């Protein structure tokens, strides 16, 4: 059993995620998303899908990226 770093639940089915050399322990995908998902630089939503990255900044979609970068040639992944 391991303790979730977000909610503190000591859970027998917890799991670890290793990202950029750091090890994280969670009891649910909900907690993992809460801690690790980037936040859209325009609207503030958690980016759970592919999203769009422009100049190192994360956006939930091309629409939000264009709002921040004018006519940047961005589009959603297909």
């Amino acid at each position: 059993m391991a303790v979730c770093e977000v909610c503190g639940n000591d859970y027998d089915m917890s799991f670890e995620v290793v990202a950029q050399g750091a090890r994280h322990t969670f009891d649910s995908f909900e907690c993992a998303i809460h801690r690790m998902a980037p936040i859209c630089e325009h609207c503030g939503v958690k980016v759970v899908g592919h999203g769009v990255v422009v100049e190192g900044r994360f956006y939930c979609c091309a629409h939000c990226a264009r709002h921040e970068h004018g006519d940047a040639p961005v589009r959603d992944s297909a």
Side-chain angles (χ1 to χ4, degrees), residues 2-11 14 25-28 31-32:
V3 176
C4 176
E5 67 181 63
V6 174
C7 69
N9 186 27
D10 194 5
Y11 187 49
S14 62
T25 303
F26 303 107
D27 70 338
S28 66
C31 285

Side-chain angles (χ1 to χ4, degrees), residues 39-45 57-60 63-65 67-68:
I39 297 172
C40 178
E41 298 270 353
H42 180 71
C43 72
V45 72
R57 297 174 68 189
F58 286 92
Y59 301 95
C60 64
H63 174 79
C64 283
H67 270 276
E68 296 291 315

Side-chain angles (χ1 to χ4, degrees), residues 29-59:
F29 288 116
E30 180 181 9
C31 285
I33 289 167
H34 178 76
R35 176 61 49 94
M36 300 191 73
I39 297 172
C40 178
E41 298 270 353
H42 180 71
C43 72
V45 72
K46 292 275 187 178
V47 181
V48 178
H50 294 286
V52 178
V53 179
V54 178
E55 297 176 5
R57 297 174 68 189
F58 286 92
Y59 301 95

